[in-house]
Amino acid sequence: QVQLVESGGGLVQAGESLRLSCTASGSIFSINDMGWYRQAPGKQRELVAAIFSGGSANYADSVKGRFTISRDSAKNTAYLQMNSLKPDDTSVYYCNAAIVRTVGGPRERYWGQGTQVTVSS
């Protein structure tokens, strides 16, 4: 079994910052990419940021320059530093990871349970 557990969400005012954490636990051989998605009510889930095993990262245009994704491979943890938050950033944020559980095994994607981020104006 593999679990992704997110933390760090909350209620902040516009312009403030939050840092989300996502830790993978369980039977893990390796983790390829880890990413953050978000979904607001009535909208589709969208990619916010992703970081790959080599350290490169991708960002949604809407968060470039404000959000930074990072990872601590030794801790199987990814972080999302969110600065200059806007009301439009209000969503449930989900962690996603591509994980290989055993040597030679398939790469499978896992999701966390989500953490609410609310930004008031």
Side-chain angles (χ1 to χ4, degrees):
Q1 280 284 45
V2 171
Q3 282 190 318
L4 299 182
V5 178
E6 302 115 329
S7 62
L11 171 63
V12 297
Q13 293 188 333
E16 294 185 339
S17 298
L18 280 174
R19 189 174 86 149
L20 306 182
S21 299
C22 169
T23 298
S25 63
S27 178
I28 298 171
F29 172 69
S30 66
I31 300 177
N32 292 4
D33 56 279
M34 298 186 77
W36 291 94
Y37 289 71
R38 66 186 181 187
Q39 187 168 21
K43 294 188 177 181
Q44 288 189 330
R45 190 171 297 190
E46 62 175 358
L47 175 67
V48 176
I51 187 165
F52 302 92
S53 55
S56 62
N58 289 339
Y59 296 92
D61 288 343
S62 59
V63 306
K64 283 181 181 176
R66 299 188 299 122
F67 291 10
T68 302
I69 189 170
S70 60
R71 65 188 285 181
D72 184 336
S73 296
K75 297 181 178 179
N76 290 338
T77 298
Y79 305 96
L80 185 68
Q81 178 66 42
M82 305 186 293
N83 298 330
S84 302
L85 282 161
K86 305 175 181 179
D88 283 349
D89 296 317
T90 296
S91 281
V92 178
Y93 284 70
Y94 297 91
C95 179
N96 177 273
I99 294 174
V100 177
R101 296 177 59 190
T102 59
V103 175
R107 184 176 64 186
E108 299 171 291
R109 289 211 166 267
Y110 294 86
W111 290 93
Q113 80 286 354
T115 185
Q116 177 70 46
V117 172
T118 303
V119 184
S120 64
S121 57

